[in-house]
């Protein structure tokens, strides 16, 4: 059997119809547990015979293919998940930043003064709900953006909590969106009131957060700088990105004709937006130059550019007389004087939105809100990521894997007195949770619901009252949306709804071969219909946190529980979907609890012994409640919380019996294989290389390159980094190439050129180059200096001619020559040897000489 997205095709039977893809996934996980030799579980984006054959032949029972990369599922301890950020200890306000620029691995949540510092005249303090991300933020993290004061998260949306003097038009409680030059990827941010406007009512906070920079950048550039008018022609690069998509909508609003570029996988998005096929071009080549001339022989009037190198030259050549080249990419900025000397018929204009000034920005914001409110411009597609997942979000953005925009969702502050709604309140886990909340949140109101008679909850509510907790009970069938809507209207505004804990569920264990419509319906309805009803209702309450009690069955695929696994994988998928919408939610995929009642209470002693032999242990109530608090605080879409006995898992790993899903939990399979001095990766690289054979040195450096490439691309391991494959085919582009270069420079302590990844275009080639750089040379040591001078000579040949710059360079070279002569003369005077000084210089000393004299580095 092969599973593809959304359907199950068997060799002997028909497709399973009318089930969400996520539930099919759960069904087959359990089926695989019952019939391990008959199933391969694959998720393919489309027909891919070679990938399918490779995956079927591999050792993994489950895999997903994304952009030619094969992913496999692994459980990872929360403490080891570097991609999940933690706010600073001790509370207080914080914001997203990097501890040092150069790699996205240095992202962190750091203390911020925005929550406490006094407001200056004209300033507004905002409780943030979401921050928009742009390529600018990736460049800031990598140290590529001009200036040292730029902050990640320059746009966002939230609620005004304080206004300074001289503020007009805004008041406490207003929903606002706008620009935040000091950064807003945190709970509280401050901005000039002229950078803010009220959020149109039809927009969610996540939708609003991503619009200001992209639309205003397009509006300022196309209207103020280029004066784009009806009937003129615009070449719009990377048109499926944030600014690109905004500029497309705005240019068509102005009545312009738009030529677009995008990578091949994203061109369908442009077609869906109504761009004619003749005006959609490939951004990976410069062939669009000839294609555009075929449809518009005179060229284009305006270029809005985000590309580099040859694309800049091709686009400049396409501009008609009097045209304007708008540069917002900031990674290949040309000298305007040089450009206009070569192309006197056009204007070359690099620009930044903040160049417009606060007054003009406010005018543009006001115009934008009018156009959005009147549907003259649409909101953009947006994907939300929890702010604690910022590394994954920025890595996704840096690789241009998104369409539209990405937002970081910031948890809303919870009121001191709120209402927590618990469904299925007669269940064992719900009862323990209610008791726990009564002691940890005594000022909150508990609303306990059940499908049965609410009088059965009287003993529990009596007990909770002894803790001082106010409770109410209600009878409700969550498969009936109108009942839930009516219940939500009864919650008092003095105790607003803050959290819903959905614990309801039904078990109906049976092997896959004996599943019936009844066994599927009863189990799926109790989970799928009720969870979806809650999700739909809470879309109108975006600050309410939906905590879903799921089961690890959906992750593990227990034999005999295919229907229950299917229901739980749907819940997992739905919570992920909520996060993309910017809605709060967590599914806790529970393992077994040690309780006297509930779904796991019917297990016999032999069942517990069987689970124990594979490393699974029931959690006692105290451990379960601790896991509950940790999962809610973590705020991830799905957290697996189960009792595991790690020594048993390690023993099974040594015996080759451990399921692949658990392999990341056990550490090295053979403890004797680890080095006595600790992990090799913690020792300095020269020390690790010392004494190795040439083959072992290359293997170590190849591992170093592949591991850092995997981290840069966001992969969990190096399986998707074949040594001989080209970096560009792996997904490394200009931005990720910079990060990979920075990471390798830190690891090797070498000075590495900006073109490193393109000069050595595969992991194997790059490892060989690093080996040459790190191996003590027996040959003439002048080779290091000559190689660097060769590189500088090559750079000089491709630089645009500029008399003034060439004059400065000639002067620096004369100074460099004088310095070399001084060192030579000193050595001759001391030793009589005219080679000694350079021959004994280290690589770093030679590079220092070049840097100090030529001013590069």
């Amino acid at each position: 059997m092969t599973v593809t997205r959304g359907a199950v095709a068997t060799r002997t039977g028909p497709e399973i119809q009318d089930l969400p893809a996520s539930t099919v996934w759960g069904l087959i996980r359990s089926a695989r547990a019952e019939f391990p030799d008959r199933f391969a579980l694959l998720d393919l984006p489309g027909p891919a015979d070679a990938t399918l054959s490779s995956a079927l032949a591999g050792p993994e029972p489950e895999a997903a293919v994304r952009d030619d990369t094969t992913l496999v599922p692994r459980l990872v301890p929360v403490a080891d998940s570097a991609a999940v950020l933690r706010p600073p200890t001790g509370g207080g306000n914080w914001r997203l930043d990097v501890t040092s620029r150069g790699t996205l691995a240095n992202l962190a949540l750091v203390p911020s003064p925005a929550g406490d510092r006094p407001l200056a005249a004209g300033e507004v303090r905002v409780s943030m709900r979401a921050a928009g991300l742009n390529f600018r933020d990736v460049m800031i993290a990598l140290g590529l953006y001009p200036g040292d004061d730029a902050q990640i998260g320059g746009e966002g949306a939230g609620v005004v909590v304080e206004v300074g003097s001289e503020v007009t038009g805004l008041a406490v409680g207003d929903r606002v969106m706008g620009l935040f030059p000091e950064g807003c990827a945190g709970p509280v941010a401050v901005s000039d009131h002229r950078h803010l406007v009220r959020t149109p009512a039809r927009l969610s906070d996540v939708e609003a957060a991503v619009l200001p920079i992209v639309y205003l950048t397009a509006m300022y550039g196309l209207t103020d700088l280029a004066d784009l008018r009806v009937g003129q022609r615009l070449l719009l690069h990377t048109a499926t990105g944030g600014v690109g998509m905004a500029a497309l909508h705005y240019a068509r609003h102005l009545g312009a004709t738009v030529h677009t570029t995008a990578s091949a996988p994203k061109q369908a998005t442009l077609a869906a937006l109504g761009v004619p096929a003749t005006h959609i071009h490939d951004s990976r080549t410069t062939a669009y130059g000839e294609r555009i001339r075929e449809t518009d022989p005179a060229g284009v009037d305006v270029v809005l550019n985000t590309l580099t190198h040859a694309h800049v030259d091709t686009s400049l050549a396409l501009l008609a007389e009097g045209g304007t080249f708008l540069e917002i990419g900031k990674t290949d900025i040309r000298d305007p004087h040089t450009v206009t000397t070569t192309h006197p018929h056009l204007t070359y204009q690099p620009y930044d939105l903040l160049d417009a000034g606060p007054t003009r920005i406010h005018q543009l914001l006001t115009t934008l809100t009018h156009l959005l409110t009147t549907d003259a411009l649409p909101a953009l597609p947006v994907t939300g990521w929890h702010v604690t997942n910022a590394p994954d979000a920025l890595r996704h953005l840096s690789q241009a894997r998104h369409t539209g925009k990405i937002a970081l969702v910031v948890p809303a502050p919870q009121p001191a007195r709120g209402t927590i709604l618990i469904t299925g309140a007669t269940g064992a886990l719900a009862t323990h949770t209610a008791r726990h909340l009564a002691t940890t949140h005594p000022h909150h109101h508990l609303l306990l619901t059940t499908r049965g008679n609410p009088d059965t909850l009287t003993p529990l509510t009596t007990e909770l009252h002894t803790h001082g907790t106010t409770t109410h009970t209600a009878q409700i069938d969550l498969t009936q949306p109108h009942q839930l809507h009516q219940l939500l209207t009864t919650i008092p505004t003095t105790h607003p709804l803050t959290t819903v804990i959905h614990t309801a569920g039904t078990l109906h264990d049976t092997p896959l071969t004996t599943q019936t419509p009844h066994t599927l319906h009863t189990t799926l309805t109790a989970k799928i219909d009720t969870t979806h009803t809650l999700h739909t209702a809470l879309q109108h309450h975006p600050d309410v946190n939906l905590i879903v009690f799921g089961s690890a069955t959906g992750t593990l695929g227990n034999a005999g529980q295919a229907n229950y696994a299917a229901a739980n994988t749907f819940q997992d998928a739905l919570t992920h979907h909520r996060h993309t919408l910017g809605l709060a939610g967590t599914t806790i995929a529970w393992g077994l609890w040690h309780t006297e009642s509930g779904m796991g209470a019917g297990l016999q002693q032999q069942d517990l012994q069987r689970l124990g032999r594979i490393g699974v242990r029931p959690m006692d109530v105290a451990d379960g409640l601790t896991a509950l608090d940790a999962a809610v605080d973590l705020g991830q879409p799905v957290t697996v919380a189960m009792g595991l006995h790690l020594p048993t898992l390690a023993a099974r790993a040594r015996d080759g019996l451990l399921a692949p899903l658990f392999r990341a939990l056990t550490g090295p399979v053979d403890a004797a294989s680890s080095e006595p001095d600790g992990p090799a990766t913690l020792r300095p690289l020269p020390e690790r290389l010392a004494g190795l054979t040439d083959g072992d040195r290359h293997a170590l450096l190849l591992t170093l390159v592949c591991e850092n490439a995997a981290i840069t691309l966001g992969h969990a391991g190096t399986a998707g980094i074949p040594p001989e494959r080209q970096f560009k085919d792996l997904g490394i582009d200009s931005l990720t190439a910079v990060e990979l270069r920075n990471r390798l420079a830190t690891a090797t302590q070498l000075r590495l050129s900006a073109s490193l990844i393109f000069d050595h275009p595969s992991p194997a080639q790059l490892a060989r180059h690093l080996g040459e750089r790190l191996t003590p040379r027996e040959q003439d040591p002048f080779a290091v200096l000559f190689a660097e001078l060769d590189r500088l000579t090559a750079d000089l040949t491709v630089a645009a001619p500029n008399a003034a710059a060439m004059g400065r360079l000639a002067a620096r070279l004369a100074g460099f020559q004088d310095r070399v002569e001084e060192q030579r003369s000193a050595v001759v005077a001391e030793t009589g040897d005219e080679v000694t000084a350079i021959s004994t210089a280290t690589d770093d000393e030679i590079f220092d000489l070049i840097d100090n004299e030529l001013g590069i580095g």
Side-chain angles (χ1 to χ4, degrees):
M1 172 178 287
T2 299
V3 179
T4 57
R5 183 172 300 164
V8 182
T10 70
R11 295 189 179 94
T12 59
E15 293 188 351
I16 294 177
Q17 302 287 350
D18 301 326
L19 285 179
S22 56
T23 63
V24 172
W25 204 257
L27 281 171
I28 302 306
R29 278 195 178 127
S30 288
R32 193 185 67 230
E34 294 184 36
F35 307 103
D37 297 329
R38 302 188 191 180
F39 293 87
L41 189 55
L42 304 172
D43 183 3
L44 304 177
D49 293 340
T51 305
L52 175 60
S53 299
S54 175
L56 287 172
E60 293 288 341
E62 182 176 335
V65 177
R66 298 288 183 272
D67 299 326
D68 295 328
T69 298
T70 301
L71 307 176
V72 296
R74 293 290 187 269
L75 291 175
V76 179
V78 168
D80 296 343
S81 181
V84 180
L85 306 181
R86 302 290 195 282
T89 57
N93 193 46
W94 46 265
R95 61 177 172 83
L96 179 67
D97 202 352
V98 284
T99 53
S100 62
R101 298 187 178 186
T103 170
L104 300 182
N106 293 336
L107 287 163
L109 303 180
V110 302
S112 168
D116 302 318
R117 75 167 177 82
L119 295 179
E123 287 188 329
V124 177
R125 199 182 326 271
V126 178
S127 175
M128 301 305 303
R129 297 295 184 269
L133 287 183
N134 299 277
F135 274 109
R136 165 187 179 274
D137 299 306
V138 178
M139 294 170 63
I140 291 172
L142 296 180
L144 298 176
Y145 197 80
D148 296 327
D149 57 347
Q151 298 295 331
I152 296 174
E155 63 179 343
V159 179
V160 175
V161 293
E162 185 182 359
V163 296
S165 61
E166 302 179 17
V167 172
T168 58
L170 295 176
V172 172
D174 285 345
R175 292 179 64 227
V176 293
M177 68 180 195
L179 308 183
F180 294 84
E182 296 181 17
C184 63
V188 180
V190 173
S191 186
D192 188 303
H193 75 287
R194 293 169 293 180
H195 288 164
L196 303 173
V197 289
R198 290 191 181 91
T199 301
R202 74 179 184 91
L203 297 180
S204 70
D205 290 325
V206 171
E207 290 174 321
V210 301
L211 298 181
I213 283 181
V214 292
Y215 263 125
L216 266 60
T217 297
M219 294 166 69
Y220 177 57
L222 297 180
T223 300
D224 290 36
L225 302 180
D227 192 24
L228 184 67
R229 299 183 300 277
V230 174
Q232 289 192 316
R233 296 146 301 178
L234 166 68
L235 171 55
L236 177 59
H237 284 303
T238 56
T240 58
V243 174
M245 197 170 285
L248 173 62
H249 292 307
Y250 185 64
R252 294 199 296 195
H253 169 70
L254 294 177
T257 298
V258 186
H259 285 276
T260 62
T261 69
S263 61
K266 296 182 177 181
Q267 291 175 14
T269 300
L270 295 175
L273 291 173
V275 181
T278 55
H279 288 60
I280 300 175
H281 311 283
D282 190 349
S283 61
R284 302 302 186 190
T285 76
T286 57
Y288 55 80
E290 296 180 3
R291 288 192 63 198
I292 290 175
R293 287 290 186 188
E294 292 173 0
T295 56
D296 287 299
V300 298
D301 300 289
V302 180
V303 173
L304 185 59
N305 182 62
T306 56
L307 301 179
T308 59
H309 306 309
H311 293 284
V312 175
D313 299 320
T314 300
S315 301
L316 286 168
L318 277 171
L319 276 169
E321 185 75 27
T324 302
F325 187 99
L326 298 172
E327 173 60 71
I328 61 172
K330 304 289 176 60
T331 55
D332 186 15
I333 297 179
R334 308 292 176 87
D335 176 31
H337 176 73
T338 302
V339 173
T340 54
T341 299
T342 309
H343 303 277
H345 63 287
L346 60 81
T347 299
Y348 177 82
Q349 181 68 66
Y351 76 98
D352 187 275
L353 173 59
L354 294 181
D355 296 342
T359 300
R360 180 57 181 150
I361 285 174
H362 193 264
Q363 292 171 347
L364 291 170
L365 275 171
T366 302
T367 300
L368 174 61
T369 55
H370 172 72
L371 294 174
L372 290 168
T373 302
T374 58
D375 292 329
L377 290 178
L380 300 183
V382 57
T383 301
W385 301 65
H386 197 282
V387 67
T388 57
N389 291 120
D392 285 341
L394 280 161
R395 203 169 298 286
H396 191 86
L397 175 62
S398 72
Q399 297 166 28
R401 291 157 57 190
H402 65 297
T403 297
K405 289 296 297 291
I406 290 176
L408 294 178
V409 180
V410 182
Q414 295 295 315
R417 297 177 180 274
T419 293
I420 301 175
L421 189 158
I422 302 177
T423 71
T426 57
L429 298 194
T431 298
H432 289 301
T433 299
R435 290 171 178 151
H436 178 62
L437 293 173
T439 58
T440 58
H441 296 76
H443 300 299
H444 277 58
H445 174 86
L446 295 185
L447 176 55
L448 310 178
T449 71
T450 177
R451 289 186 66 186
N453 187 347
D455 291 343
T456 59
L457 293 169
T458 300
L460 176 60
T461 58
T462 301
E463 177 186 347
L464 298 178
H465 289 163
T466 64
H467 296 286
T469 301
T470 303
T471 63
H472 279 84
T473 62
Q475 182 177 14
I476 181 174
D477 181 355
L478 287 175
T479 64
Q480 304 299 318
H482 69 279
Q483 293 187 23
L484 176 61
H485 175 74
Q486 184 177 2
L487 177 65
L488 294 180
T489 62
T490 67
I491 297 175
T493 56
T494 53
H495 283 78
L497 184 66
T498 63
T499 306
V500 174
I501 302 177
H502 182 41
T503 72
T506 298
L507 274 178
H508 199 144
D509 292 354
T510 184
L512 182 69
T513 52
T514 60
Q515 290 283 356
T516 66
H518 174 71
T519 60
L520 282 171
H521 178 76
T522 55
T523 302
L524 297 184
T525 298
K527 284 279 190 181
I528 292 178
D529 291 359
T530 58
T531 308
H532 190 265
T533 296
L534 285 166
H535 160 69
T536 302
L538 295 179
Q539 286 182 302
H540 304 294
H541 303 268
D543 295 338
V544 175
N545 197 5
L546 175 59
I547 309 299
V548 178
F549 277 25
S551 169
T553 300
T555 303
L556 305 178
N558 290 358
Q561 292 187 317
N563 50 3
Y564 194 56
N568 282 282
T569 51
F570 175 87
Q571 289 183 321
D572 297 348
L574 183 61
T575 311
H576 274 283
H577 177 60
R578 284 182 61 82
H579 276 241
T580 67
L581 299 176
L583 302 173
T586 292
T587 289
I588 306 175
W590 289 113
L592 186 63
W593 283 54
H594 188 65
T595 59
E596 296 181 357
S597 61
M599 295 183 185
L603 290 175
Q604 304 297 318
Q605 187 62 33
Q606 60 267 29
D607 296 320
L608 297 176
Q609 291 174 350
R610 174 180 57 81
L611 292 172
R613 285 193 295 271
I614 64 173
V616 176
R617 297 285 190 270
M619 292 183 295
D620 62 29
V621 172
D623 288 340
L625 295 174
T626 298
L628 169 62
D629 290 339
V632 173
D633 289 342
L634 191 62
Q636 298 306 293
V638 179
T639 301
V640 177
M642 60 188 304
L644 296 172
H645 190 247
L646 296 184
T648 300
L649 296 181
R652 290 180 63 81
R654 288 192 294 271
D655 295 338
L657 300 174
L658 188 65
L661 183 68
F662 294 96
R663 287 177 184 168
L665 302 175
T666 61
V669 172
D670 183 3
S673 67
S674 61
E675 300 186 24
D677 295 333
T681 54
L682 299 181
R683 294 161 48 214
L685 186 61
E687 182 181 336
R688 293 158 58 194
L689 292 171
L692 296 179
T693 65
D694 289 345
D696 288 342
R697 288 170 63 86
H698 177 72
L700 179 57
L701 290 171
L702 182 60
T703 298
L704 177 75
V705 171
C706 290
E707 287 179 345
N708 281 280
I711 292 172
T712 300
L713 290 169
H715 295 180
T718 59
I721 313 292
E724 300 298 336
R725 193 170 182 187
Q726 299 276 297
F727 284 117
K728 64 181 178 62
D729 294 332
L730 294 172
I732 297 286
D733 58 13
S734 56
L735 284 177
T736 45
V738 169
E739 180 176 4
L740 179 55
R741 187 278 308 267
N742 291 347
R743 294 186 63 86
L744 292 173
T746 300
T748 61
Q749 296 300 299
L750 293 173
R751 297 169 186 259
L752 301 175
S753 70
S755 60
L756 176 76
I757 309 305
F758 305 102
D759 294 339
H760 310 281
S762 75
Q765 290 172 288
L766 182 52
R768 285 192 288 271
H769 169 71
L770 295 177
E772 293 171 0
R773 292 283 305 273
L774 289 164
T775 301
R777 288 179 174 80
E778 302 295 335
Q779 68 269 30
D780 182 0
F782 276 99
V784 175
L785 180 56
F786 290 148
E788 186 65 12
L789 289 173
D790 286 344
R791 184 184 68 79
L792 293 172
T793 302
D795 289 346
L796 182 62
T797 61
V798 299
N802 183 311
M806 298 297 284
R808 293 196 301 272
L809 180 60
R812 298 300 294 272
L813 286 171
F816 175 67
Q817 185 175 4
D818 291 343
R819 178 75 181 276
V820 171
E821 181 61 29
E822 289 175 6
Q823 289 200 7
R824 188 193 67 79
S825 300
V827 171
V828 169
E830 181 177 347
T831 67
D833 183 354
E834 296 199 11
V835 180
T836 301
I838 293 294
S839 66
T840 59
T842 66
D843 288 358
D844 282 345
E845 289 170 338
I846 292 173
F847 280 121
D848 283 339
L849 176 64
I850 294 173
D851 289 353
N852 291 337
E853 294 305 315
L854 298 186
I856 64 175

